[in-house]
Amino acid sequence: MNTDQLMSLALEMAGLTEIPGDSAIYHPGQNLHKVMFGIDVKAPEVKMAADLGFDVAMSHHPTGGQARLQFHKVLYRHLDQLTAAGVPLKAVQTIIDDLAEEHRVMASMSNYDHDPSVARLLDMPYMNIHTPLDEIGRRRLQDAADELAPTNTVAELIAHFQSSFGEFRHADTQIELRVGQLDRPIGRVVMSHGAGTNGGYPVAKAYFDHGINTVIYIHCRPADSKKLIADFGDNVNLIVTGHVVSDSIGINPYIDRLRGEGIEVTTLSGIIPA
Ligand SMILES: [Fe+2]
Ligand SMILES: [Fe+2]
């Protein structure tokens, strides 16, 4: 495989037709048989991959180049997910515009070429795949949530996630209920993931304001969940599944597929086995 084919396989698995803003080939390569894959693969790991004889260094999180500069575009996937859940576009357009603008400006302030430049100097193939793998994870988690009835409790949903995904059983973090009560019904559930990063307080609030009873994030700042408690008390549920474990749920099917194609994949940096 080459770097284009590695990217295309992920797009195909996620049902996407083009490379999203947060994913990129920083330095292309051909005839790739030995892959190093991590959640955060930056300049030191690229050098390590070259030293250890890998053919390509792959990161989940974007580290630079266009994947950093265009990252803000994938935040608009929140609008697709929100409107699919019945939230009116006019209620959330400004929220996502503001979030995207903040990310665009912060990215433009950064040294976006640092990690890619190291790969070029070493002539080491290097790329990242973010949203396609998060979309795979989002679907798996939403599908698992949809196997339960609205009358099932939050505790039952958490237990169902733990029994459905070995990653949750193997992780050192726990699935946390940040807002709500474990013995309450889950009602309507949205897995909010695969849109660059979590939508924080305003996106969760928009779901709760429009009939969603349980929002699931993979991570959420404490300040955001505190604001939700101030607004909603324990009348809605915010479940936080954990960052690297939930990323792993989207990454592992892709790695399994690569191995099925005869590619040797070594994982590091937070990837938790199923
Ligand atoms: Fe992710
Ligand atoms: Fe992540």
Side-chain angles (χ1 to χ4, degrees), residues 60-61 130 133-134 193 218 243 247:
H60 174 53
H61 291 153
H130 192 230
L133 303 185
D134 283 347
H193 177 41
I218 73 161
H243 186 181
D247 274 343

Side-chain angles (χ1 to χ4, degrees), residues 16-193:
L16 298 174
T17 50
E18 47 188 63
I19 301 174
D22 63 350
S23 304
I25 295 164
Y26 305 117
H27 189 62
Q30 311 284 333
N31 296 321
L32 311 171
H33 304 289
K34 284 185 72 178
V35 171
M36 191 182 91
F37 198 114
I39 291 182
D40 294 289
V41 171
K42 301 182 183 182
E45 293 80 24
V46 170
K47 167 65 172 142
M48 196 174 82
D51 289 350
L52 293 174
F54 288 99
D55 298 325
V56 57
M58 297 181 73
S59 183
H60 174 53
H61 291 153
T63 64
Q66 291 305 313
R68 183 176 297 174
L69 296 174
Q70 305 297 322
F71 175 89
H72 60 280
K73 292 182 177 171
V74 300
L75 294 165
Y76 283 91
R77 292 172 58 83
H78 279 299
L79 286 187
D80 303 333
Q81 294 179 13
L82 283 154
T83 53
V87 180
L89 185 62
K90 62 175 171 19
V92 282
Q93 181 77 57
T94 310
I95 292 169
I96 303 304
D97 285 343
D98 290 349
L99 186 66
E101 181 62 2
E102 180 172 340
H103 277 267
R104 187 191 68 77
V105 172
M106 294 305 286
S108 73
M109 288 164 63
S110 74
N111 180 0
Y112 58 84
D113 194 39
H114 178 78
D115 301 282
S117 73
V118 170
R120 290 197 302 275
L121 188 60
L122 291 168
D123 193 19
M124 180 69 197
Y126 179 39
M127 63 191 291
N128 93 288
I129 308 178
H130 192 230
T131 278
L133 303 185
D134 283 347
E135 172 61 15
I136 292 168
R138 184 193 69 78
R139 289 184 189 181
R140 295 185 77 199
L141 289 159
Q142 182 73 58
D143 287 350
D146 291 345
E147 286 164 3
L148 300 185
T151 49
N152 279 110
T153 64
V154 171
E156 286 167 339
L157 175 57
I158 292 172
H160 185 58
F161 273 179
Q162 284 162 340
S163 65
S164 302
F165 299 100
E167 291 88 342
F168 286 130
R169 299 193 296 277
H170 300 144
D172 291 334
T173 53
Q174 302 298 318
I175 301 175
E176 295 183 5
L177 180 64
R178 293 279 193 80
V179 182
Q181 298 256 14
L182 285 168
D183 58 359
R184 294 276 174 78
I186 53 176
R188 288 186 64 203
V189 181
V190 167
M191 178 75 220
S192 174
H193 177 41

